Amino acid sequence: MDLIRRHFTLIDSTNTWAKQHAEELPFDKITLVTADAQTAGRGRFKRQWESPPNQNIYASFCFFIKKRRPDIGNIPQILALSCADILETLGFSPELKWPNDILLSKKKVAGILAETTSTENGLCVVIGIGLNVNMPLDILQRIDRPATSLAVERGCPFDVETVLNLLANKFSVDLDVFLNQGFVPFLNPYKKRISEQENRAVRFHDNNIVWSGTIERIENDGSLSLKLPDGSIKNFIVGEILF
Ligand code: BTN
């Protein structure tokens, strides 16, 4: 799919803007909404996303699908994989934390927030990504969980626009493959990048409930199965492994 860009110097949230303007977006293209800074950057589980100016990528990929497909939940995993792939081409060794966090040195460097909104043109999918590119250590340390940036890992700054272009080009290609062939071509590459080892004891939450168990496996549909203390297997399509 062709991609067009809408850039803002300041915005509340690229995801929020995209959802509010979904009816005006071209239905046959990817619209990439970006900003230099966000005043109300949002993360998963209603968390805030630190979005200071001119340091990082704040971007939402918006596109339309005719109807809700059963594998729609894999789209953020595809973007996580695209992001990991481009970080590897830049010389990093990225890992994924299920389902779609991107880690460097076991710390989060990028996160993804996927949302949808119904329009006259079909379902508008909004996949937002925040990638810490040049965020310095003092700001990273304000974040209440281990976080890093490309600059901190490498010891030198990166050109934000260059990294964004790499990501946009890779995701456009990967999304076309996904929309035609589904998650199958991505399953093994995705599993290889996942940092969690099978049988590892974890705590896990899906919104309100915290579960304890061991990681059983990543299923073919990208979901996570945990073995609970009573020996039963519980499958999750959303949630978060707790550090
Ligand atoms: C997470 O919690 O890991 C997801 C973070 C997603 C942040 C990005 S920044 C661009 C887009 N706009 C937002 O408000 N959130 C996403």
Side-chain angles (χ1 to χ4, degrees):
M1 242 187 290
D2 290 341
L3 185 144
I4 58 162
R5 175 101 177 259
R6 288 292 306 263
H7 183 74
F8 297 87
T9 43
L10 187 65
I11 204 167
D12 51 357
S13 148
T14 55
N15 266 39
T16 305
W17 186 93
K19 285 201 299 175
Q20 285 169 347
H21 294 82
E23 295 285 0
E24 300 149 34
L25 303 180
F27 73 94
D28 55 349
K29 292 187 172 56
I30 302 173
T31 305
L32 177 57
V33 184
T34 56
D36 294 334
Q38 299 183 120
T39 54
R42 295 184 289 113
R44 294 174 73 217
F45 307 108
K46 300 196 165 72
R47 293 185 191 125
Q48 171 198 337
W49 187 258
E50 281 285 340
S51 310
N54 304 318
Q55 292 176 2
N56 302 320
I57 290 174
Y58 315 114
S60 300
F61 293 89
C62 318
F63 52 92
F64 293 84
I65 55 177
K66 287 248 160 9
K67 56 179 171 22
R68 189 172 286 275
R69 28 189 294 169
D71 56 2
I72 191 170
N74 293 129
I75 299 176
Q77 292 172 311
I78 303 293
L79 179 55
L81 197 52
S82 308
C83 182
D85 287 349
I86 65 119
L87 294 185
E88 191 167 80
T89 64
L90 293 171
F92 293 101
S93 302
E95 291 183 303
L96 299 182
K97 176 168 177 264
W98 188 91
N100 43 234
D101 284 351
I102 299 99
L103 310 181
L104 292 178
S105 310
K106 306 283 177 203
K107 294 178 211 140
K108 184 156 163 172
V109 70
I112 293 171
L113 178 67
E115 301 179 289
T116 57
T117 184
S118 293
T119 74
E120 283 186 358
N121 290 322
L123 194 66
C124 181
V125 180
V126 177
I127 311 282
I129 181 164
L131 169 58
N132 300 334
V133 179
N134 292 320
M135 208 181 221
L137 210 49
D138 57 329
I139 301 192
L140 289 165
Q141 283 166 348
R142 277 195 229 148
I143 300 171
D144 60 355
R145 44 199 76 215
T148 192
S149 67
L150 302 188
V152 163
E153 293 298 308
R154 182 62 56 80
C156 66
F158 283 76
D159 180 51
V160 175
E161 202 58 25
T162 304
V163 181
L164 177 68
N165 285 332
L166 283 173
L167 180 63
N169 291 337
K170 181 74 173 90
F171 181 63
S172 306
V173 172
D174 289 345
L175 181 65
D176 278 338
V177 175
F178 172 78
L179 292 174
N180 289 317
Q181 300 176 44
F183 194 53
V184 173
F186 300 97
L187 180 63
N188 282 333
Y190 178 78
K191 279 185 177 172
K192 277 197 199 132
R193 292 233 184 257
I194 284 282
S195 63
E196 289 93 14
Q197 316 263 311
E198 283 176 9
N199 298 321
R200 192 184 129 193
V202 290
R203 285 189 324 123
F204 180 91
H205 80 97
D206 59 343
N207 284 313
N208 293 329
I209 305 179
V210 177
W211 305 81
S212 295
T214 56
I215 293 180
E216 185 69 8
R217 72 179 79 87
I218 304 287
E219 303 290 351
N220 289 351
D221 62 359
S223 62
L224 177 77
S225 289
L226 288 188
K227 186 184 246 178
L228 302 182
D230 67 1
S232 64
I233 306 290
K234 181 149 178 68
N235 183 252
F236 295 91
I237 52 170
V238 288
E240 182 180 45
I241 296 164
L242 299 167
F243 275 108

